[in-house]
Amino acid sequence: MILLFIFAGILGLAIGSFLNVVIYRVPAGRSIVVPASACPTCGSSIRTYDNVPVLSWLVLRGKCRDCAAPISVRYPLVELGTGLFFVTVAVLFAPTILAAPDTRSIVSGLLVLVAFLFLAAVSVALALIDIDVHKLPNAIVLPAYAVGAVLLSSASIVSGEYSVLLRAGIAMAALFLAYFLMAFLYPAGMGLGDVKLAGVLGLYLGWVGWGAVIVGALGAFILGGIYAFVLILGKRANRKSGIPFGPWMLVGAWLGIGIGNEAFAGYLSIFGLRAT
């Protein structure tokens, strides 16, 4: 298990380095493949040995090797944050893999882990892009449907647990339709990017369980509402201010993924009920 966590952390650091490119280039409509990364001030290409996540920034003391222009601390923070995020996802899903009784269950568990690691990477990119430009790009959201569906469907086929896949599909459709209705009734407060993201999050939340769906969906509005209230109270925004909701959808979803089933079961137990 320790080796799995170390691998997840290293992979997360590397993916975080790539996400920095995605976050910067996708909103601008630029290719994430070419040209190679370069200093935005002097245009010098970033050398391979200066592309080591976090470490390179520390060695260079946050400056370009060629022109000494400052390099934002956001770059190593995204790399480090993604690394820690990947470890957290591994912590959530590794126990199922390690407790698997047969090879098919192990393979299914690994596919699920990869699917949620992909969601973690997408979450980092979308949250920061939405904060930066108030957009959730189709170039990231729409492929997430295909990748999530393929990985989770494959996991379901390998394990033979089709009821889990059915629940995920129903949750995906339900959250998409719920957000679409909200966007139709109040277009000023809900964008189509949020609607499309809702379907992706519904797919993953539904895979985890109905408790995760409920906590994840409600958590987005509760946390987003608290944030908006704090901004208004501090006079940093007003009721007409455009506040990106995508990050709160993602935070709420991960809250649901992490503790949703347990939290919902605990809530029901207060009334003597039990989740099925």
Side-chain angles (χ1 to χ4, degrees):
M1 184 177 289
I2 297 299
L3 290 176
L4 178 61
F5 295 160
I6 292 173
F7 175 76
I10 294 173
L11 178 63
L13 289 171
I15 295 295
S17 181
F18 173 68
L19 290 180
N20 278 318
V21 177
V22 172
I23 293 164
Y24 178 73
R25 295 189 182 185
V26 168
R30 297 174 55 189
S31 169
I32 59 175
V33 180
V34 292
S37 298
C39 172
T41 302
C42 68
S44 298
S45 297
I46 305 299
R47 298 162 179 80
T48 302
Y49 51 81
D50 285 338
N51 244 338
V52 180
V54 181
L55 183 61
S56 290
W57 188 89
L58 293 174
V59 170
L60 293 172
R61 298 181 181 180
K63 297 179 182 180
C64 171
R65 182 181 292 276
D66 295 292
C67 69
I71 302 172
S72 173
V73 70
R74 173 164 156 172
Y75 291 105
L77 288 179
V78 168
E79 294 164 351
L80 182 60
T82 305
L84 293 174
F85 202 169
F86 271 42
V87 171
T88 302
V89 174
V91 169
L92 288 174
F93 292 94
T96 301
I97 299 172
L98 295 175
D102 51 47
T103 303
R104 292 180 63 183
S105 298
I106 293 174
V107 173
S108 177
L110 287 172
L111 287 168
V112 172
L113 175 59
V114 172
F116 280 86
L117 288 175
F118 172 79
L119 179 63
V122 167
S123 297
V124 173
L126 288 177
L128 291 175
I129 290 173
D130 202 14
I131 290 171
D132 287 344
V133 299
H134 291 200
K135 288 182 180 179
L136 295 168
N138 286 337
I140 298 176
V141 176
L142 296 185
Y145 278 96
V147 174
V150 168
L151 288 171
L152 294 178
S153 295
S154 299
S156 182
I157 292 170
V158 170
S159 67
E161 296 180 357
Y162 296 101
S163 61
V164 179
L165 185 61
L166 176 62
R167 183 179 64 210
I170 294 173
M172 177 181 69
L175 277 192
F176 182 92
L177 290 174
Y179 271 76
F180 181 82
L181 181 60
M182 286 185 285
F184 178 77
L185 295 175
Y186 185 50
M190 187 71 64
L192 289 180
D194 298 326
V195 176
K196 290 173 238 184
L197 177 59
V200 174
L201 298 181
L203 174 67
Y204 282 89
L205 287 166
W207 180 271
V208 176
W210 288 117
V213 175
I214 294 170
V215 172
L218 293 179
F221 289 96
I222 293 172
L223 294 172
I226 293 173
Y227 177 71
F229 177 75
V230 170
L231 288 182
I232 293 172
L233 197 64
K235 297 182 178 180
R236 298 181 60 185
N238 55 52
R239 294 182 180 180
K240 296 183 179 180
S241 298
I243 299 173
F245 190 54
W248 299 112
M249 293 174 65
L250 292 161
V251 172
W254 280 103
L255 188 66
I257 291 167
I259 63 170
N261 286 338
E262 294 78 6
F264 187 62
Y267 174 77
L268 290 180
S269 67
I270 297 175
F271 304 96
L273 302 174
R274 187 173 65 178
T276 57

